[in-house]
Structure formats: C-alpha cells, structure tokens
C-alpha cells in the first residue's frame, strides 16, 4: 500500500513538473501560417544586393543601346569653321557646311560632302563642292566592331544572368534560414526527450525513497536540472531565430514554416550543354580571341574617291581623285592621285612612305603569341566540357539520393503519425501518462521536420543546378 502511495505521489509530482513549461507545451506548427511565396517575397525585399543587381542590369541595357547607336549608321551635320569679316561695305560671312554619312556594315563606307559658301551684300554664293567617298578594303575595323558588339552583348547577358543567380541566391539564403530554425527545433525536441528521461530517473529515485541528502538523489536532481536548462536555452535560441526571421520577412512568424513546396528535381541533362557557365565562358573567350587575332591584320588596305568643284572669279574648276593607304609589317605607303576635269589645273600624284624597322619582328611575335593564346583557349574549352561531365555525374547521384531519402521519409512520417495518433487517444483515455505521449509526439515532429528539410534540399538542389547554367 505504501509503495502505491509513493508511485501516485511521484506521478502527481512529475505531472506538476511538466505543466506550465513553455518548451513542453509549445505548439511548433500553425494552421494559419503565411505562404511560402509571401515569406520569400518579404525576405527578398530586405536584401539590398538584389536591388544592386537590378541597377547593374539596367546600366548594362543602357550600355547595349549606346553601343548599338554608336556602331550603326551615323549622320553628322556641321557648319564648318565660320568667319565674319567686317568691311567698309558691310559684313561678309564665309563658312563651309558639310554632311557625313557613315555606314559601318558596308566596309565602313563614309560619304562626306561640303560646300564652301559666302554671304555678302550681293547675296549668297556657293564657292565650290567637295564630295569624298571612302571605304575599308582590307582592315581590322570589321572585326573590331564585331568585338565591340560581342563584348557588349556578353556584358548584358552577364548582368541578366547575375540578377537571376542573385534571385536564386536570395531564395537559397531564405531556405538556409528556415533550415537553421528546423535544426534548432530538432535539437529542442531531442533535449525534451533527454529531460523526460531524466525526470523518469529522478522519479525512480523518489519512489525508491532515497534521502534528499544522498548522493543518488543529488546526482539525479542535478542531471534533471541540467537537462531542463538545456531545454530552456535551446527554446530561447529557437525563439530568437524566429524573431530574426520574422524581421526579415515582414511577417510575425512564431511557428515552424511548413509551406515549403515539394518540388520535382530538375533533370541535369535537360539543360543545353553549351549554356553550362564554364563552357559558355570558354567558348566566348575562344570566339573573342579569334576575332582579336583576325583584327590584327599584317596587311591593311583602304581607299577613297573624291570629287571637287571650285569657283573663283566666275571660273569653275573641277577635279576627281582617288587615294590608297596600305601597310605591311613595318612598311607604310600612301598614294593620292588627282585629275582635273577642266582646262585649268594639272594632274598630280602624291605619296608618302614610312618604315618601322621593328614592325616585321613585332608582327611575327604577335602571330606566335596568338598561336599560343589559341591553344590555351582550346584547353580551357576542353576543361570546361570535362567539368560539365563531372558535375553531371555528381548532381545525378545527388538527385538519386534525394529521391531515395524522400521516399524513406514519407514512409516514416506515415508510421510516426499513426503511433502519435494512437498515443494521443491513449493519453486522453488515461491509459498512458503525458510523458509517453510527448515522446511519441516528439518522434512524429522530428520525422516531419526531416521531411521538410528534404524538401528544402530538393529546392536547393534545383537552385544549384540552375546556377550552373547561363540564364536564357
């Protein structure tokens, strides 16, 4: 009879210890939680790095537009150098208005027309007309324009890709924050179980009648109090994490987020291999290098054709001319032929010659260096394809593991839920005590958290795979 009284007394004492303890009575899950999308949106809004990336992308779009204008058809109108002359009879005005149209895509074709003119008291008079047409024949200007366009397009592509990666990076940070909360909650649940075990051990010491001054009693009490403190510390840390998370999301979050979507894993093979970041960059570097080497011409040639008309003392003179400029290694040569179309004037031939003694040697060394650069670029391309293959194997193995883990956790959660529901009914019927029910509930919650963590891993896996490829 005495032993039964001691057991009942211990049970009442044990129940009293459990009641009123926040970490024991905590409701970890809520049926009225904010959606995953709303929490992520709030979390992203507090990230300034994302806003910086958006600004950089807008700047890249402006630069791209500027480059398009610069490398497109251009028109330039000019008044030329005007002059005002103050004479006894009045004011004379002389100027040489001109217009130039340049079409880069047509071998840098440029047409320039100018008309020296005067304005006097007797009216407006055109003193002549000059028209000049020039174009590249063999130069590196076409390749240089392609280089500029390629670099501009790449800068814009990189800006867009960096913005996309930053958005995924923010979601990754968001998921890491949730995972940190899950980990802390799991630790709390483990500490709760330890505390419950220590309560049972302490209860046995009390039931067995050990004196409060005995070492057995004191050790059991110290272990119980230590387990309690561990629970209290972990509980406070969990609350602090939830508070920080709430501040970043703009929502009051005092529960474990369960709205994490269960996504399908991305198929690594479904992405275009040439969009793999390292391959794309290596191919870009190779293309850019080839253009730069092509732009470095050993022989260049450009030409022009011009027509001139001049009027002086009511005598009109006309002439046509042509010019060529060429360079090869260290040798430069220019020729300019002018032929009159009227009786006045003489045919003339102008020329210039320049020699750089080290020009050929410099060209040879540049060509040799270009061969080495081309080989290095090819090695980078080969390394990039090898990196793709190793990444593909690694991520496909990760995907298989995540799928297996997901199936296992779904089976476990079903089992632990059934056990928890049975223990709940038994507890309400008075068949078992609160300790046994809390332990069963703990096991279910730990399994549920592991299932949610698996969902996070799958989203993080998708984010990592997407970040390996250029955004299209």
């Amino acid at each position: 009879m005495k032993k039964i009284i001691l057991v009942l007394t211990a049970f009442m004492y044990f129940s009293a210890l459990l009641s009123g303890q926040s970490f024991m009575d905590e409701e970890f899950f809520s049926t009225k939680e904010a959606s995953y999308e709303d929490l992520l949106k709030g979390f992203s809004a507090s990230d300034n790095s994302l806003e910086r990336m958006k600004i950089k992308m807008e700047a890249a779009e402006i630069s791209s537009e500027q480059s398009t204008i610069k490398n497109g058809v251009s028109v330039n109108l000019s008044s030329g150098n005007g002059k005002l002359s103050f004479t006894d009879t009045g004011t004379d005005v002389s100027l040489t208005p001109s217009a130039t149209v340049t079409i880069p895509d047509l071998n840098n074709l440029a047409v320039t027309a100018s008309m020296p003119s005067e304005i006097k008291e007797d009216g407006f008079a055109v003193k002549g007309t000059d028209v000049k047409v020039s174009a590249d024949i063999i130069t590196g200007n076409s390749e240089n324009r392609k280089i500029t366009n390629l670099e501009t397009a790449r800068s814009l592509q990189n800006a867009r890709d960096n913005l996309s990666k930053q958005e995924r990076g923010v979601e990754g940070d968001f998921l890491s924050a949730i995972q940190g909360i899950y980990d802390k909650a799991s630790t709390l649940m483990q500490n709760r179980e330890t505390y419950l075990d220590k309560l049972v051990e302490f209860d046995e010491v009390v039931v067995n009648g050990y004196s409060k001054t005995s070492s057995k009693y004191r050790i059991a009490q110290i272990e119980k109090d230590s387990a309690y403190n561990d629970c209290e510390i972990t509980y406070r840390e969990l609350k602090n994490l939830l508070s920080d998370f709430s501040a970043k999301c703009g929502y009051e979050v005092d529960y474990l987020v369960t709205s994490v979507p269960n996504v399908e894993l991305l198929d690594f093979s479904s992405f275009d291999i040439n969009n793999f970041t390292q391959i794309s960059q290596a191919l870009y570097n190779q293309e850019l290098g080839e253009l730069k080497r092509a732009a470095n011409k050993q022989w260049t040639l450009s030409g022009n054709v011009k027509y001139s008309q001049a009027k002086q003392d009511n005598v009109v003179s006309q002439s046509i001319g042509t010019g060529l400029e060429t360079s090869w290694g260290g040798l430069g040569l220019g020729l300019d032929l002018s032929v009159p179309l009227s009786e006045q004037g003489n045919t003339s031939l102008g020329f210039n010659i320049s020699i750089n003694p080290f020009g050929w040697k410099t060209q040879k060394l540049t060509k040799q260096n270009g061969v080495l650069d081309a080989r290095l670029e090819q090695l980078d391309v080969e390394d990039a394809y090898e990196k793709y293959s190793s990444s593909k194997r690694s991520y496909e193995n990760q995907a298989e593991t995540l799928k297996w883990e997901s199936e296992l956790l779904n089976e476990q959660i079903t089992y632990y839920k059934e056990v928890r529901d049975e223990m709940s009914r038994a507890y309400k019927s008075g068949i078992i005590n609160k300790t046994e029910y809390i332990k069963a509930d703990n096991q279910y919650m730990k399994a549920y958290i592991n299932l949610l963590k698996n969902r996070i891993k799958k989203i993080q896996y998708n984010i990592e795979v997407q970040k390996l490829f250029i955004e299209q």
Side-chain angles (χ1 to χ4, degrees):
M1 183 67 179
K2 181 179 180 181
K3 188 173 182 179
I4 294 175
I5 293 174
L6 286 173
V7 171
L8 291 174
T9 302
F11 180 76
M12 293 174 62
Y13 170 75
F14 183 70
S15 299
L17 282 174
L18 292 179
S19 63
Q21 295 174 350
S22 55
F23 58 80
M24 283 297 182
D25 300 324
E26 177 72 19
E27 291 292 336
F28 289 99
F29 304 110
S30 172
T31 58
K32 297 181 180 180
E33 63 174 294
S35 69
Y36 178 88
E37 291 75 15
D38 288 342
L39 291 173
L40 176 58
K41 184 177 180 181
F43 190 92
S44 300
S46 64
D47 193 300
N48 288 333
S49 60
L50 189 59
E51 185 63 25
R52 288 191 182 94
M53 285 297 176
K54 291 180 180 178
I55 293 173
K56 289 181 179 180
M57 190 194 74
E58 291 177 4
E61 288 176 338
I62 293 173
S63 296
S64 177
E65 188 174 352
Q66 288 175 328
S67 178
T68 299
I69 295 173
K70 182 179 179 181
N71 289 294
V73 177
S74 65
V75 178
N76 183 52
L77 303 176
S78 173
S79 66
N81 293 323
K83 182 179 180 182
L84 294 176
S85 299
F86 302 99
T87 65
D88 295 337
T89 59
T91 302
D92 296 341
V93 180
S94 63
L95 65 160
T96 308
S98 64
T100 301
V101 178
T102 306
I103 308 175
D105 288 339
L106 295 180
N107 291 335
N108 218 23
L109 177 68
V111 179
T112 301
S114 62
M115 293 186 299
S117 307
E118 287 184 346
I119 302 176
K120 295 183 176 182
E121 285 189 354
D122 56 354
F124 175 77
V126 177
K127 306 296 291 182
T129 301
D130 290 323
V131 178
K132 181 180 180 180
V133 179
S134 62
D136 297 334
I137 300 174
I138 302 174
T139 69
N141 290 333
S142 176
E143 285 79 5
N144 286 327
R145 284 194 301 276
K146 290 179 182 178
I147 289 171
T148 300
N149 292 335
L150 185 64
E151 290 178 330
T152 301
R154 186 69 183 188
S155 296
L156 179 57
Q157 174 65 57
N158 286 342
R160 289 172 176 167
D161 192 54
N162 288 338
L163 175 59
S164 176
K165 283 180 170 58
Q166 185 62 34
E167 289 172 343
R168 295 192 181 102
V170 171
E171 185 174 10
D173 294 340
F174 172 73
L175 291 168
S176 295
I178 295 177
Q179 192 166 24
I181 294 172
Y182 287 166
D183 291 340
K184 188 63 66 176
S186 296
T187 301
L188 175 57
M189 292 171 190
Q190 187 61 48
N191 289 346
R192 288 203 316 180
E193 289 188 22
T194 301
Y195 177 58
L196 290 174
D197 291 338
K198 294 304 177 182
L199 278 177
V200 171
E201 293 174 7
F202 181 71
D203 177 50
E204 291 176 352
V205 170
V206 172
V207 169
N208 290 327
Y210 283 93
S211 169
K212 291 184 178 181
T213 58
S214 66
S215 59
K216 187 77 172 178
Y217 186 96
R218 288 180 176 180
I219 291 174
Q221 187 175 41
I222 289 172
E223 290 179 345
K224 171 184 70 68
D225 292 343
S226 177
Y228 176 89
N229 289 336
D230 289 342
C231 288
E232 188 65 32
I233 291 171
T234 308
Y235 178 72
R236 291 178 181 273
E237 291 174 343
L238 175 61
K239 286 297 183 181
N240 289 336
L241 287 177
L242 288 169
S243 177
D244 291 341
F245 186 69
S246 298
K248 290 181 179 180
C249 293
Y251 288 88
E252 185 63 32
V253 183
D254 55 0
Y255 49 80
L256 301 188
V257 177
T258 62
S259 58
V260 179
N262 186 22
V263 300
E264 292 291 330
L265 293 175
L266 294 174
D267 181 7
F268 195 98
S269 300
S270 66
F271 290 85
D272 186 350
I273 185 172
N274 289 326
N275 286 337
F276 188 69
T277 299
Q278 287 184 248
I279 292 177
S280 176
Q281 185 63 43
L283 292 174
Y284 165 76
N285 290 340
Q286 188 177 56
E287 182 182 4
L288 186 64
E290 290 174 352
L291 284 173
K292 287 182 177 180
R293 288 186 289 274
N296 186 28
K297 304 286 187 183
Q298 287 190 314
W299 178 41
T300 64
L301 179 65
S302 60
N304 63 76
V305 177
K306 55 186 176 181
Y307 166 81
S308 295
Q309 175 185 294
K311 183 178 181 181
Q312 186 173 7
D313 298 331
N314 295 322
V315 178
V316 178
S317 62
Q318 297 177 327
S319 66
I320 60 171
T322 183
L324 288 174
E325 290 187 5
T326 185
S327 66
W328 176 61
L331 177 64
L333 177 64
L335 295 175
D336 189 6
L337 176 65
S338 178
V339 179
L341 297 178
S342 57
E343 294 180 357
Q344 292 79 15
N346 299 306
T347 299
S348 64
L349 176 66
F351 65 91
N352 66 77
I353 300 175
S354 64
I355 298 177
N356 180 352
F358 302 103
W360 285 278
K361 183 63 175 179
T362 301
Q363 285 280 10
K364 183 179 179 180
L365 293 174
T366 300
K367 185 175 180 180
Q368 290 175 346
N369 193 56
V371 172
L372 297 177
D373 288 341
R375 181 56 184 152
L376 289 174
E377 290 161 4
Q378 180 58 34
L379 290 174
D380 287 342
V381 170
E382 293 172 5
D383 288 344
Y385 277 101
E386 178 57 35
K387 180 63 176 178
Y388 169 85
S389 298
S390 62
S391 297
K392 183 174 180 290
R393 289 192 298 270
S394 175
Y395 278 94
E396 286 179 345
N397 289 337
Q398 288 184 45
E400 288 298 321
T401 300
L402 287 173
K403 289 177 182 177
W404 169 81
E405 184 182 75
S406 179
E407 293 172 359
L408 178 64
L409 290 171
N410 275 292
E411 291 176 2
Q412 288 181 349
I413 195 68
T414 301
Y415 169 75
Y416 282 118
K417 186 177 186 304
E418 291 175 354
V419 173
R420 194 275 305 268
D421 292 344
E422 290 178 4
M423 299 296 277
S424 177
R425 289 191 292 270
Y427 172 64
K428 291 177 181 178
S429 300
I431 300 175
I432 62 171
N433 59 33
K434 188 174 183 179
T435 306
E436 293 173 296
Y437 166 69
I438 290 177
K439 283 187 174 182
D441 188 53
N442 245 24
Q443 291 297 328
Y444 167 73
M445 286 192 290
K446 286 195 296 184
Y448 189 25
I449 287 176
N450 287 334
L451 182 64
L452 292 172
K453 288 167 72 173
N454 175 261
R455 292 182 182 180
I456 286 179
K457 289 179 184 177
K458 290 196 287 187
I459 298 175
Q460 289 174 329
Y461 170 89
N462 286 351
I463 290 174
E464 290 177 7
V465 170
Q466 288 173 317
K467 289 172 71 174
L468 291 175
F469 293 85
I470 293 291
E471 181 75 12
Q472 293 297 310

